Structure formats: structure tokens, C-alpha cells
């Protein structure tokens, strides 16, 4: 799990990096060689990708994350696929160049590089992102290993944590104290493999919205509750998932998740943090937090705390129905099915900030303490 | 023309009764002949081919002395003069149809000039000139100045004369609206001068009134010919159902004719003939028992010269041998020896029923003359700008004892409007049908064909749409029209079926053409796809594997081959 410039500063990681890069280069060349040989034999070459969808993952609690079920799609070079095939190969060539030159490109940059490919260029970034994701899945690696990095921000951290990083130029160890950001926070970098941690916190609280995170930071909630606060800002990025995973693994910390009570908060944000996604199933093993538990807001909280609600939107209902039908994680837990059904029956959703109905600091003074008193009641 | 006209000059006595024939298909009146003596007589009886006499017929029966002009103005809608726009069209039509018929009967390749000059907003001078045989001096008055002169009542022969009542109706209309005479200039022999006559109709007596009679020089290059000038109230409009379209469509259906048209805007249009071969003259046939109607049977029996029923049947009908005649008599329970004119109505009815029951072979179909498959296609090609043309001439068929033959043609693509319903061109005996499209068997048949089978769009129960022209021609000794105005073909199942068969055959060809074209476009697209993207596969592999340029080129070429080969297999 390397592939970032920053990691070079760590000697140990540096050796690892070279090894990984060499292996990566070899894979790309082998794949290209196979295509070349097929062509020269007058055969139509093909590439085999794992199917990237929820339908091709399996969930087992003892493993803890979505595993690929091994179904593959084959993209054979025909007249109809020649364009995508050419684009995939050119993207592989770009990746080879990046890995070889120890360089990186953001997905956006990769998209712009393609503008130099004449008719094989991409018209929109989602097209090039899909091809990158395909290649990533083809080699069963993390896109950072291919030299591609995302634009997305990793998330923010505050609380009882010291992050160990190294200065890029001097290679000196940096101790980043997450209690000392005042009303600000520490930003999770895109690659987190090289980070070290020191903490005496009792748990990690992962929060959906920046607004709620801000409130808890402002009132130094982490001090009061002895915890580390992480703002996910919607569906957690890979870096954010990996950060929480490494931190919680290394320090044996429980992870509690605090999100809105709606099908998106549960089915997308929480589910992805805990078990990964269908789209990137080939790397879920590292990019998920199986020990995460759902603190709230639960459907029961809505009635218990008499929270103000909004009606479920059509997309919410569709998402809930879809989850109940297709999501292997939801299908594994009766509790979640009941929660979804209850939500649909009530026909409403509630946001984290709805707690403000009882006073702005109700969440700090009453809600969280009450919930944290009974972690065994958290949803799986 | 001249010869015939002189040889078969009619006694004037028959004219009174002619009024009864008012609603017979207008005979080409410049050829007032061709009638056998037997039929000549029978023509005196009311023709009863129509199942029920029209209002006008009954009127005519009651009022023998009815004023022709009054009759005309009351019934102008039946004669094609119901509105000023149609009046102009009908006048041109009558004259052109007559000219074509005259030329064909005289064995002359028709060359016709049509000119319409606006005199005022609502008044036009119509000049039609042909290179036909001409009209002898003595006949001019009768042909142009006497309504209902010349006819062909029991004659079963394919001819134009489907529209209205003839040129004299146009003269009548002209006279009613402008008060002016029609001017006819004609030369019948190259070595003689032409005569120029001004003719009006004495409406009280229904007789010609010659207001001008002079010798003149023939202004045209042809040896013989007729030039008709008349002035009438009318309205000129372009587009659908216009004179322009009539001329254009007439040219399509008459590829042996050359037509020059000078439209009211002063524009010249020239339609040159595609063939120097005149269509063979259709032969005349006797009525077939399966097609005869009760009234007609009654009148035929009354008029026959045969002394007994058996002979009358076998002599006056098509495909009736003595044996068949006996079978009919037996079936009807009427003595074969009975005197034909003395039969009671009930006996005639029994005979009529029997005729439908006895098996009789179909009438000879050689009497129907189609335009011809190839000529029709070429003619449409000349008239329409399109990419694909196909045509078909079906074998002759028979409905109710009447032989008929269907021809059809399609044009697709090119400059035709792609977003509209197809253009439907209907013809009966080479005459364009421009009105009452929705009532016509031809339209029905076109709608009943499932054009989507042939990759042509079609809404349910509608004409197909797309850049398409559908042409259907029915040739028959007797085209069954839905009404007196003779603009729509009646929906006899046999006729609809034949039209559909013709269109389906053409549709299949069109479908093949369209799918081939689509395939070509697809291949083109794929080929360009291959050309466009394979180099990028080459570049990518070169970059990854560090290939030499020759290796890269070889790779690209092999791949191109592979894909192109598989493309052909698909």
C-alpha cells in the first residue's frame, strides 16, 4: 500500500516502493505483451476485468468487508470496442510512464493528458475515471500504485491523537498533535500508509457532516469524551477509510459512526466505511473499517428524541428498496433490514443537526453521552 | 381521325336520347365513333351500369326538354366544375385527355402544348394544341358545341375519358362564365389550309352555334392537329391538385407523350417522351356475365338482334359458349328458345342470378394495356428526384367480370421530404386522380400494407412516411369509381388485393435496398473506427513494450486485417 512521493522519505517505505513499482511495471508489461502476442497471431486480444458492482461482492462478517465474487467481464477487441480498448491501453501506457518515472497524476490530470491523444481522447472526466478504475481492477491494485491519485480530500481529524509523519525535505520526524488545531483540524493526506499514531483516546467518532464536526470541535467534545473526531464529509474517501482503519487497528480503538438517519447515511456512508464499496471491491480489504459500529441517528432515535423530520424523497425510497434487495451487507443483518423498514414505514428522515431542536449543545450534553453509555446497543 | 369521323357520321336523330348517357364516363369526344351497329342501338336505352340511378339521372328521365344550361349549372359539381380552381383543372384535363386519345387512335405520337394565360385575377385563357389527326370542318361544331355528343355506352374498352363529361362541358362553362365562344383551329391534311371556327352552344336547343368560320394557316409545325382556345373564370393555385401537378403526373403516366406546359406565371415546363413506341390500342370486349348488372342485362336483352335467348347470351357476352348459355338458361329456369325482348322482369332477374352461379371462365385480359414495368420506372425517374426506384406490373386480374391490371412504382430518398407522409400518385387508365384520395381503394391498399416490414415508418392506419413516392396505376376496361366525379376507385376486394400484392413486392425490394444501405453505412462507420483507433493501440503497446516502429506497423496491420476479416463474417 504505497505509491506516493511522500512515502519515499521513509527509508523502509522507499524499498517497499521500489519493489511495488517493479512489480507494477512487470504486470503492465505482461498484460501488454499478451495483447501483442494475440494480435500477432491474428487473434482478437481481450482484457478480463472483475465486474465492479454490488452484484459481484459477498459479505461475510468474519472477513468483515465486501469480497469480490470473482465474476469477470471480458473486453475483447472488436470493431465495437476498439475505441475503449485503445483508451485503456493508452491509459496503461501513461501509468507505466508514471510508475517508471516515479511520478503521479491526479485523475483530472490524466484526463487532460488524454486530450493529447487525438480521436482517442476522453470527452468527459467520468469516462477517463472509469478507465482508470477498470485498470485498477484489472491489476487488482490501488490506483495510487498505478500513479493515479484522486482529487478528493481525505477528511479532517481533531482530538486526542498525535500523527507521526516526516518532513518531505529533511526526512525529520514530525509529530502532529491533533489537539492543537484550536478550532481547526488536521487534514488526512491522500496516502496514509507511512503515518504513525500515538493516542490515549477511548474511541473514534466518525461524523458525516462538517457542521456537526465543527460543533464538537468548538466545544472540545473530544476532551470531554476522550476521543478522536473524524469528519468524513459525506461518503468517506479511500484515504479517510484507510486512515480510520489503520488508526483503529493499531490502537485497538472502537469506531462509532454518527450520521444522518436516512438511506444515504446508512446505506452509503456507513456501509462504505464499514465494508467498502461494490465499485472498488478489489481493494476493500484495506479500505474499510469492519469494526465500525453505528451510533446514530437511528430510526428509534427519531421517535425517542422526537426529532423534527423531513419526508423521504423518491431517491431515498428507491435507495432503501434497492439496499433491501441487493446490498449483501444489509441483507446479512436483520437489524438493518428492520431499521430500513421502520424508516420507510415512518416515511421520514432526520438529520444530525435536528438535535438542535432541544438546544444547540443538546447533542454534546445529552444525546452523545446517553448513546455512549450503551455501545452494545449500537447497530452492527 | 378524319377518316373515321366521315365514315361513321351519325344520324342526328340519336342525340336526344344521349342525354340519358350523361353520367357515362365521358367519351373522348373527338372520336365520336367506334360503336358497332348493335351497340349503337342499345345505347339508346338508359345505361345501367351503375347500381342506382343518380339524382341527375332521374331528373333527366323526367324532363326530356330540360334546358342544358340549367342542367349544367345545377350539376356542375358532378362535371368537375364545382369550384373555380377545379374548373380550370377540369377544362385542361378534358382537352388534354381528348388530345391524347385522338393521337393514340390515329397512331400519332402525341405532342401537346398547354398554355394558361391569366387575363385577370379570376379569368384565364386556356390554349391546348395537339399534333393529332385534326377534326374535319363538319364535326367541329358537334364536338365542341353540343353537350353529350358521341359516346361509347356498352363498349368495354380501356380508355381515358374518366373525368367529367367532355370538352363540351368546358365550353359550356367558359360560355357561362365569360360569354365567349371557344376558338378551334384544326388542320386535317398537310396539303390543305386549316380552318378556324368559333363555337358557342345554343343552350336552348343544345346545338352548336358557329360564330366564326374562316380559313387560316396552321400555326404549328405538325402536319395535322387541333388547337383549342377558351377563356373561363377560374382560380390558379400551385401545389397539390393543381394543373401543374396534373400535367406532371400525366407526363409520368404517358411516357410516349411529349408535353409542353406554359403555366400562368409564365414559366415553361417541358416533359419529353421516353419512348417512341405508342402503347398498343386496347381491344374492345363484350361484357362478361359476372360483371353485368341487372339493368344492363335487361337493356342488352331488349336490344339484341338475336332471335332467341340462347343465341343472345352466347353472342353478346364474353366467354359464353352455347353450352354455357344453355347452362344459364337451365339454372334460371328460362327456356333457351325464349324471345329475348319478351322476357318478363322476373325471368331477367332469374337469368341475372343464374349468371352469377354458373361457372364461366374469366374474360380475356389481353384487352388491358398497362404502361409497362420498365417504362413506368423510367418515367417516374424522370418525374421525381430520388435515389431508388422500382416498379412492377402485375399480371391482369378480374373483378366482377371486368379485367383489370395493377401497376405500381416506388421512389425513395433524394430530394423527397423525409419528415412527411409519402406522396401517393394514383392513376386510372393513365389519368391522374387528384381528388378524394381518402375514399380510394388505392389509398386503402397502401395503408393496409405494413410498411414497417420494409424499414419504412408508418403510423397505425396511416400512409407510410419518409422520402417516399408511391405510384399506383389501375388499367381496366371499366374502372369502378365510387361516385360520378370519378376521382376514387371503389374498394373491390380483388382490386385492393392486387394493389397490395404489387406494393408488397415493391416494399420488399425497398426494404432490401434500405437494409443494404444501412449495412453499407455501418461498414463505413466501422471501417473508419478501425482506421481511427488502431494506431492508438499501436502507440500504447509501443510505449509499454518499447517496440520498434516496424514492429508497431506490423502489429497495426495485422490487427486491422483481423478486425476487417471478422467484420465481414458478422
Amino acid at each position: 500500500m504505497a505509491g506516493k512521493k511522500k512515502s519515499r522519505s521513509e527509508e523502509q517505505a522507499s524499498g517497499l516502493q521500489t519493489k511495488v513499482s517493479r512489480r507494477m511495471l512487470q504486470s503492465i508489461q505482461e498484460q501488454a505483451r499478451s495483447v501483442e502476442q494475440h494480435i500477432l497471431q491474428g487473434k482478437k486480444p481481450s482484457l478480463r476485468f472483475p465486474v465492479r458492482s454490488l452484484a459481484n461482492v459477498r459479505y461475510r462478517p468474519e472477513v468483515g468487508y465486501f469480497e469480490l465474487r470473482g465474476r469477470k467481464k471480458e473486453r475483447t477487441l472488436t470493431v465495437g470496442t476498439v475505441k475503449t480498448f485503445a483508451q485503456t491501453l493508452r491509459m496503461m501506457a501513461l501509468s507505466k510512464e508514471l510508475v517508471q518515472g516515479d511520478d503521479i497524476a491526479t485523475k483530472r490530470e490524466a484526463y487532460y493528458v488524454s486530450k493529447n491523444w487525438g480521436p482517442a481522447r476522453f470527452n468527459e472526466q467520468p469516462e477517463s475515471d472509469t478507465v482508470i478504475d477498470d485498470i485498477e481492477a484489472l491489476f487488482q491494485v490501488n490506483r495510487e500504485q498505478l500513479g493515479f491519485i484522486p482529487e478528493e480530500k481525505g477528511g479532517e481529524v481533531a482530538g486526542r491523537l498525535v500523527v507521526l509523519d516526516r518532513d518531505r525535505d529533511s526526512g525529520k520526524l514530525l509529530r502532529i498533535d491533533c489537539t492543537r488545531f484550536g478550532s481547526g483540524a488536521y487534514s488526512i493526506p491522500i496516502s496514509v500508509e507511512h503515518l504513525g499514531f500515538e493516542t490515549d483516546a477511548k474511541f473514534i467518532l466518525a461524523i458525516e457532516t462538517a457542521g456537526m464536526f465543527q460543533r464538537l470541535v468548538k466545544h472540545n467534545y473530544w476532551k470531554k469524551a476522550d476521543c478522536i473526531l473524524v469528519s468524513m464529509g459525506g461518503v468517506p474517501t479511500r484515504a479517510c477509510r484507510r486512515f480510520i482503519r489503520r488508526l483503529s487497528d493499531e490502537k485497538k480503538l472502537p469506531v462509532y459512526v454518527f450520521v444522518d438517519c436516512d438511506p444515504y447515511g446508512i446505506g452509503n456512508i456507513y456501509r462504505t466505511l464499514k465494508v467498502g464499496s461494490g465499485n472498488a471491491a478489489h481493494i476493500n480489504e484495506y479500505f474499510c473499517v469492519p469494526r465500525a459500529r453505528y451510533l446514530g441517528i437511528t430510526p428509534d432515535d427519531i421517535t425517542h428524541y422526537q426529532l423534527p423530520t423531513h419526508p423521504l424523497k423518491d431517491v431515498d425510497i428507491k435507495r432503501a428498496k434497492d439496499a433491501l434487495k441487493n446490498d449483501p451487507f444489509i441483507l446479512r443483518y436483520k437489524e438493518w433490514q428492520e431499521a430500513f423498514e421502520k424508516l420507510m414505514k415512518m416515511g421520514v428522515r432526520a438529520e444530525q443537526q435536528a438535535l438542535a431542536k432541544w438546544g444547540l449543545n443538546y447533542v454534546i450534553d445529552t444525546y452523545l453521552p446517553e448513546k455512549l453509555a450503551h455501545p452494545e446497543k449500537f447497530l452492527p | 381521325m378524319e377518316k373515321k369521323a366521315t365514315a361513321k357520321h351519325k344520324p342526328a336523330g340519336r342525340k336526344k336520347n344521349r342525354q340519358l348517357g350523361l353520367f357515362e364516363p365521358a367519351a373522348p369526344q373527338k372520336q365520336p365513333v367506334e360503336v358497332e351497329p348493335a351497340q349503337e342501338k342499345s345505347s339508346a336505352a338508359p345505361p345501367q351500369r351503375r347500381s342506382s340511378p343518380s339524382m341527375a339521372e332521374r331528373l333527366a328521365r323526367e324532363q326530356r326538354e330540360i334546358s342544358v344550361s340549367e342542367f349544367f349549372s345545377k350539376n356542375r359539381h358532378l362535371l368537375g366544375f364545382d369550384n373555380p380552381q377545379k374548373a380550370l383543372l377540369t377544362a385542361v384535363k378534358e382537352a388534354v385527355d381528348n388530345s391524347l386519345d385522338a393521337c393514340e387512335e390515329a397512331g400519332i405520337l402525341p405532342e401537346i402544348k398547354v398554355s394558361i394565360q391569366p387575363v385577370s385575377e379570376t379569368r384565364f385563357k386556356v390554349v391546348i394544341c395537339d399534333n393529332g389527326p385534326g377534326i374535319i370542318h363538319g364535326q367541329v361544331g358537334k364536338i365542341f358545341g353540343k353537350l353529350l355528343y358521341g359516346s361509347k355506352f356498352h363498349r368495354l374498352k380501356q380508355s381515358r375519358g374518366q373525368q367529367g363529361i367532355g370538352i363540351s362541358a368546358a365550353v359550356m362553362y367558359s360560355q357561362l362564365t365569360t360569354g365567349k365562344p371557344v376558338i378551334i383551329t384544326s388542320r386535317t391534311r398537310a396539303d390543305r389550309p386549316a380552318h378556324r371556327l368559333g363555337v358557342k352552344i345554343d343552350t336552348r336547343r343544345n346545338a352548336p352555334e358557329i360564330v366564326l368560320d374562316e380559313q387560316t394557316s396552321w400555326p404549328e409545325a405538325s402536319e395535322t392537329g387541333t388547337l383549342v382556345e377558351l377563356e373561363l373564370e377560374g382560380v390558379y393555385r400551385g401545389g397539390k391538385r393543381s394543373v401543374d401537378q396534373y400535367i406532371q403526373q400525366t407526363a409520368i403516366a404517358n411516357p410516349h407523350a411529349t408535353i409542353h406546359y406554359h403555366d400562368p406565371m409564365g414559366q415553361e415546363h417541358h416533359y419529353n417522351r421516353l419512348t417512341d413506341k405508342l402503347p398498343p390500342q386496347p381491344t374492345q370486349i363484350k361484357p362478361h356475365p359476372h360483371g353485368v348488372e341487372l339493368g344492363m342485362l335487361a337493356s342488352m336483352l331488349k336490344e339484341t338482334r338475336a332471335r332467341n335467348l340462347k343465341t343472345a347470351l352466347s353472342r353478346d357476352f364474353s366467354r359464353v359458349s352455347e353450352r354455357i348459355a344453355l347452362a344459364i338458361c337451365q339454372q334460371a329456369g328460362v327456356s333457351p328458345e325464349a324471345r329475348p325482348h319478351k322476357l318478363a322482369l322476373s325471368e331477367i332477374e332469374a337469368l341475372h342470378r343464374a349468371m352469377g352461379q354458373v361457372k364461366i371462365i374469366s374474360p380475356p385480359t389481353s384487352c388491358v394495356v398497362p404502361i409497362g414495368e420498365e417504362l413506368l420506372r423510367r418515367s417516374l425517374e424522370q418525374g421525381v428526384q430520388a435515389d431508388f426506384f422500382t416498379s412492377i406490373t402485375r399480371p391482369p386480374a378480374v373483378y366482377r367480370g371486368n379485367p383489370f391490371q395493377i401497376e405500381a412504382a416506388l421512389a425513395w430518398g433524394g430530394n423527397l421530404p423525409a419528415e412527411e407522409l409519402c406522396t401517393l400518385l394514383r392513376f386510372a387508365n393513365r389519368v391522374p386522380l387528384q381528388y378524394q384520395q381518402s375514399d380510394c381503394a388505392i389509398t386503402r391498399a397502401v395503408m393496409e400494407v405494413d410498411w414497417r416490414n420494409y424499414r419504412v415508418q408508418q403510423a397505425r392506419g396511416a400512409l407510410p412516411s419518409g422520402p417516399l413516392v408511391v405510384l399506383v396505376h389501375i388499367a381496366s376496361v371499366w374502372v369502378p369509381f365510387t361516385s360520378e366525379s370519378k376521382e376514387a376507385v371503389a374498394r373491390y376486394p380483388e382490386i385492393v388485393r392486387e394493389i397490395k400484392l404489387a406494393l408488397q413486392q415493391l416494399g420488399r425490394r425497398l426494404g432490401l435496398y434500405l437494409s443494404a444501405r444501412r449495412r453499407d453505412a455501418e461498414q463505413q462507420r466501422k471501417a473508419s473506427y478501425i482506421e481511427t483507433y488502431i494506431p492508438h493501440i499501436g502507440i500504447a503497446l509501443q510505449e509499454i513494450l518499447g517496440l520498434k516502429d516496424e514492429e508497431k506497423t506490423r502489429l497495426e496491420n495485422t490487427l486491422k486485417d483481423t478486425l476487417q476479416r471478422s467484420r465481414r463474417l458478422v
Side-chain angles (χ1 to χ4, degrees):
Chain A
M1 283 299 110
K4 281 282 295 120
K5 275 190 173 173
K6 279 175 189 162
S7 62
R8 277 187 298 148
S9 56
E10 255 182 290
E11 279 166 43
Q12 194 197 351
S14 177
L16 180 73
Q17 162 70 20
T18 325
K19 213 169 118 198
V20 167
S21 298
R22 225 183 295 124
R23 211 183 315 132
M24 194 66 251
L25 280 177
Q26 213 176 341
S27 303
I28 294 175
Q29 273 162 347
E30 274 168 19
Q31 191 70 61
R33 187 68 70 192
S34 143
V35 169
E36 182 209 21
Q37 289 310 313
H38 271 83
I39 293 175
L40 289 178
Q41 287 162 23
K43 289 186 209 150
K44 285 185 270 187
S46 56
L47 300 171
R48 281 166 63 82
F49 304 94
V51 175
R52 294 188 286 111
S53 84
L54 265 195
N56 193 31
V57 295
R58 163 179 45 218
Y59 176 70
R60 282 185 299 161
E62 58 277 21
V63 176
Y65 54 88
F66 280 169
E67 299 173 294
L68 270 180
R69 291 169 68 164
R71 261 198 293 139
K72 298 207 170 187
K73 63 175 176 194
E74 196 166 75
R75 182 175 297 156
T76 302
L77 177 48
T78 62
V79 175
T81 62
V82 64
K83 181 177 182 184
T84 335
F85 210 97
Q87 288 175 325
T88 308
L89 286 177
R90 290 217 67 161
M91 195 58 97
M92 273 165 62
L94 173 62
S95 163
K96 182 228 168 196
E97 201 185 309
L98 292 174
V99 174
Q100 207 164 32
D102 193 16
D103 204 347
I104 51 160
T106 64
K107 288 159 91 181
R108 187 86 186 147
E109 283 168 338
Y111 161 69
Y112 281 122
V113 169
S114 87
K115 292 294 185 189
N116 200 26
W117 298 349
R121 68 180 164 268
F122 297 102
N123 295 320
E124 298 289 344
Q125 195 190 333
E127 296 170 23
S128 62
D129 286 356
T130 306
V131 169
I132 291 173
D133 290 350
D134 276 344
I135 297 175
E136 188 184 25
L138 172 71
F139 292 115
Q140 305 270 318
V141 295
N142 180 5
R143 63 183 159 233
E144 281 79 4
Q145 287 169 266
L146 292 164
F148 299 117
I149 58 162
E151 301 286 324
E152 57 200 5
K153 245 174 75 177
E156 306 201 305
V157 184
R160 295 192 176 278
L161 172 68
V162 173
V163 179
L164 304 177
D165 204 343
R166 286 191 185 263
D167 183 83
R168 184 189 157 90
D169 299 324
S170 63
K172 244 178 76 185
L173 189 70
L174 292 174
R175 295 174 51 85
I176 303 162
D177 187 346
C178 295
T179 61
R180 301 171 66 95
F181 281 92
S183 52
Y186 169 69
S187 232
I188 299 174
I190 281 164
S191 179
V192 301
E193 296 305 323
H194 59 288
L195 300 178
F197 306 107
E198 286 173 8
T199 181
D200 59 355
K202 294 201 191 99
F203 64 94
I204 301 168
L205 187 62
I207 300 150
E208 173 176 346
T209 62
M212 179 56 72
F213 177 76
Q214 285 301 325
R215 168 156 300 280
L216 298 184
V217 170
K218 176 120 185 147
H219 293 273
N220 284 347
Y221 176 74
W222 47 268
K223 215 179 265 176
K224 189 173 162 187
D226 268 346
C227 69
I228 300 165
L229 302 174
V230 180
S231 162
M232 298 183 288
V235 176
T237 60
R238 287 184 185 181
C240 182
R241 273 138 67 188
R242 184 66 187 151
F243 181 87
I244 299 175
R245 168 71 176 279
R246 285 200 59 223
L247 175 59
S248 67
D249 271 6
E250 246 167 63
K251 301 299 169 188
K252 304 280 177 286
L253 293 176
V255 178
Y256 303 139
V257 184
F258 182 26
V259 298
D260 287 348
C261 182
D262 57 25
Y264 187 71
I266 300 167
N268 292 56
I269 298 176
Y270 173 69
R271 202 281 325 274
T272 303
L273 177 69
K274 185 172 168 102
V275 299
S277 69
N279 192 33
H282 55 286
I283 45 152
N284 278 344
E285 184 179 353
Y286 308 103
F287 293 87
C288 65
V289 187
R291 73 177 71 214
R293 305 273 293 173
Y294 189 91
L295 178 145
I297 295 190
T298 64
D300 287 337
D301 289 345
I302 295 179
T303 40
H304 186 255
Y305 293 96
Q306 295 171 30
L307 296 179
T309 57
H310 292 96
L312 283 176
K313 285 182 256 171
D314 286 350
V315 284
D316 290 324
I317 294 167
K318 189 174 167 292
R319 193 170 271 139
K321 282 186 180 160
D322 197 44
L324 283 171
K325 207 172 135 212
N326 299 321
D327 192 318
F329 173 71
I330 303 294
L331 290 176
R332 175 64 181 69
Y333 292 104
K334 213 166 166 37
E335 295 94 317
W336 279 123
Q337 291 159 36
E338 283 165 3
F340 268 118
E341 268 148 23
K342 179 162 187 194
L343 208 54
M344 301 243 278
K345 211 167 135 201
M346 294 194 294
V348 295
R349 61 196 174 85
E351 292 171 7
Q352 296 177 305
Q353 275 116 319
L355 290 161
K357 175 194 173 191
W358 304 111
L360 287 173
N361 288 323
Y362 182 79
V363 59
I364 294 171
D365 300 334
T366 312
Y367 179 76
L368 287 174
E370 277 183 23
K371 293 295 276 192
L372 287 166
H374 300 284
E376 74 283 358
K377 285 189 185 166
F378 291 171
L379 286 164
Chain B
M1 187 71 196
E2 179 196 3
K3 239 199 228 156
K4 278 180 199 160
T6 10
K8 301 192 178 170
H9 192 64
K10 299 300 164 336
R14 73 194 184 106
K15 267 133 216 170
K16 278 264 150 58
N17 295 329
R18 284 297 156 139
Q19 212 150 332
L20 300 173
L22 184 58
F23 299 109
E24 282 307 308
Q29 309 231 334
K30 265 193 233 161
Q31 30 154 109
V33 226
E34 255 348 3
V35 186
E36 303 283 320
Q39 284 167 326
E40 169 80 288
K41 253 200 224 160
S42 67
S43 66
Q48 304 206 353
R49 249 172 242 145
R50 304 249 171 268
S51 46
S52 62
S54 70
M55 175 63 194
E57 262 178 312
R58 266 177 271 137
L59 187 74
R61 228 171 261 154
E62 286 161 18
Q63 282 177 275
R64 295 252 151 179
E65 292 301 325
I66 184 174
S67 145
V68 179
S69 60
E70 188 191 344
F71 179 82
F72 180 91
S73 30
K74 276 188 177 161
N75 292 285
R76 49 162 72 176
H77 59 286
L78 298 181
L79 311 176
F81 293 91
D82 31 345
N83 63 59
Q85 190 189 346
K86 205 173 170 190
L88 182 63
L89 174 66
T90 305
V92 172
K93 256 181 155 172
E94 294 299 347
V96 171
D97 286 352
N98 282 353
S99 288
L100 287 170
D101 275 337
C103 290
E104 284 164 22
E105 292 212 6
I108 296 169
L109 281 168
E111 177 152 1
I112 295 168
K113 294 180 187 168
V114 178
S115 161
I116 303 175
Q117 296 148 23
V119 176
S120 74
E121 192 99 322
T122 58
R123 190 176 279 205
F124 293 89
K125 187 176 179 194
V126 177
V127 181
I128 288 110
C129 175
D130 66 46
N131 62 340
I135 306 166
I136 58 163
H137 186 277
Q139 287 284 330
V140 173
K142 287 170 191 152
I143 289 172
F144 290 90
K146 192 169 180 60
L147 281 170
L148 315 164
Y149 176 78
S151 197
K152 45 162 191 179
F153 293 131
H154 283 172
R155 175 173 98 155
L156 274 185
K157 178 178 167 185
Q158 180 189 338
S159 65
R160 292 186 181 80
Q162 302 288 345
Q163 315 299 323
I165 191 168
I167 190 68
S168 53
V171 175
M172 184 83 203
Y173 178 81
S174 152
Q175 185 174 323
L176 284 175
T177 54
T178 68
K180 293 200 172 176
V182 58
I183 309 290
I184 298 103
T185 309
S186 186
R187 182 165 76 165
T188 54
R189 282 175 67 160
D191 55 357
R192 294 214 188 134
H195 43 267
R196 185 156 184 267
L197 278 80
V199 180
K200 292 182 86 167
I201 300 177
D202 178 342
T203 53
R204 199 174 41 79
R205 293 188 301 122
N206 184 23
E209 190 184 327
I210 309 294
V211 296
L212 168 80
D213 188 350
E214 60 186 28
Q215 285 214 342
T216 179
S217 60
W218 177 238
E220 300 291 323
S222 60
E223 290 197 347
T224 59
T226 305
L227 194 157
V228 180
E229 300 165 69
L230 43 82
E231 203 171 307
L232 47 81
E233 288 278 334
V235 166
Y236 169 79
R237 256 187 225 120
K240 267 192 177 169
R241 293 180 215 142
S242 62
V243 179
D244 311 2
Q245 298 248 305
Y246 163 77
I247 300 276
Q248 193 194 354
Q249 293 179 20
T250 301
I252 290 175
N254 296 277
H256 60 286
T258 291
I259 304 176
H260 308 283
Y261 171 46
H262 179 101
D263 74 19
M265 319 305 283
Q267 201 122 25
E268 297 281 346
H269 308 264
H270 300 284
Y271 302 94
N272 293 322
R273 71 172 59 91
L274 284 176
T275 174
D276 288 336
K277 248 179 80 184
L278 271 171
Q281 272 293 299
T283 50
Q284 187 174 325
I285 62 162
K286 297 178 207 161
H288 188 272
H290 287 169
V292 78
E293 278 170 29
L294 182 60
M296 179 170 156
L297 175 62
S299 70
M300 285 176 76
L301 290 172
K302 210 141 252 151
E303 303 302 326
T304 185
R305 288 160 90 200
R307 291 182 181 277
N308 60 48
L309 180 57
K310 180 183 69 185
T311 318
L313 291 176
S314 56
R315 221 173 65 174
D316 295 350
F317 283 93
S318 177
R319 299 295 202 208
V320 177
S321 62
E322 203 142 305
R323 194 176 57 79
I324 298 280
L326 284 171
I328 294 171
C329 294
Q330 195 184 4
Q331 177 82 22
V334 180
S335 162
E337 302 303 331
R339 299 282 295 270
H341 349 315
K342 300 230 164 140
L343 288 173
L345 188 61
S346 60
E347 289 174 307
I348 297 174
E349 276 174 11
L351 274 173
H352 186 247
R353 260 197 313 278
M355 282 178 156
Q357 286 158 356
V358 172
K359 221 176 159 186
I360 306 168
I361 58 169
S362 293
T365 50
S366 58
C367 51
V368 183
V369 179
I371 297 168
E373 197 166 298
E374 204 220 322
L375 209 49
L376 183 64
R377 196 199 69 236
R378 283 173 47 209
S379 197
L380 190 61
E381 276 174 12
Q382 206 181 42
V384 172
Q385 295 245 321
D387 297 329
F388 173 76
F389 294 88
T390 182
S391 64
I392 189 169
T393 299
R394 294 275 311 160
V398 172
Y399 79 92
R400 303 223 31 199
N402 294 309
F404 73 100
Q405 191 162 13
I406 295 296
E407 294 178 279
L410 299 181
W412 176 274
N415 292 344
L416 299 172
E419 304 296 321
E420 292 166 22
L421 289 180
C422 74
T423 304
L424 175 57
L425 304 180
R426 299 174 292 139
F427 296 93
N429 288 346
R430 294 175 185 257
V431 175
L433 306 181
Q434 290 174 284
Y435 283 83
Q436 295 187 16
Q437 173 166 303
S438 56
D439 297 336
C440 186
I442 292 175
T443 314
R444 165 61 65 97
V446 175
M447 293 200 282
E448 280 180 8
V449 170
D450 191 348
W451 292 89
R452 282 166 300 190
N453 289 343
Y454 316 124
R455 296 176 176 273
V456 176
Q457 290 189 349
Q458 180 185 29
R460 190 178 287 276
L463 291 173
S465 55
L468 176 66
V469 172
V470 179
L471 181 156
V472 177
H473 176 223
I474 172 170
S476 177
V477 295
W478 183 258
V479 178
F481 288 107
T482 54
S483 69
E484 317 298 0
S485 57
K486 299 176 178 174
E487 296 283 3
V489 178
R491 289 179 199 156
Y492 281 94
E494 295 89 343
I495 295 178
V496 173
R497 182 173 166 273
E498 273 298 313
I499 299 172
K500 280 173 74 178
L501 283 172
L503 293 174
Q504 281 161 351
Q505 274 173 288
L506 295 183
R508 278 191 287 277
R509 293 182 204 161
L510 176 63
L512 284 177
Y513 165 77
L514 290 178
S515 51
R517 216 179 51 165
R518 184 176 297 191
R519 230 173 12 247
D520 281 356
E522 184 73 0
Q523 297 245 330
Q524 203 91 45
R525 200 179 59 77
K526 284 183 174 173
S528 81
Y529 230 64
I530 291 175
E531 291 296 328
T532 309
Y533 295 112
I534 282 187
H536 289 278
I537 292 176
I539 294 170
L541 292 176
Q542 184 177 37
E543 281 175 8
I544 297 172
L545 300 172
L547 302 178
K548 291 189 203 109
D549 282 349
E550 312 90 81
E551 288 176 308
K552 173 172 157 255
T553 313
R554 191 169 134 234
L555 202 64
E556 287 174 13
N557 290 340
T558 318
L559 184 55
K560 240 175 256 182
D561 273 4
T562 309
L563 290 190
Q564 251 143 10
R565 234 183 310 119
S566 74
R567 185 160 59 90
R568 248 171 257 132
L569 292 177
V570 172

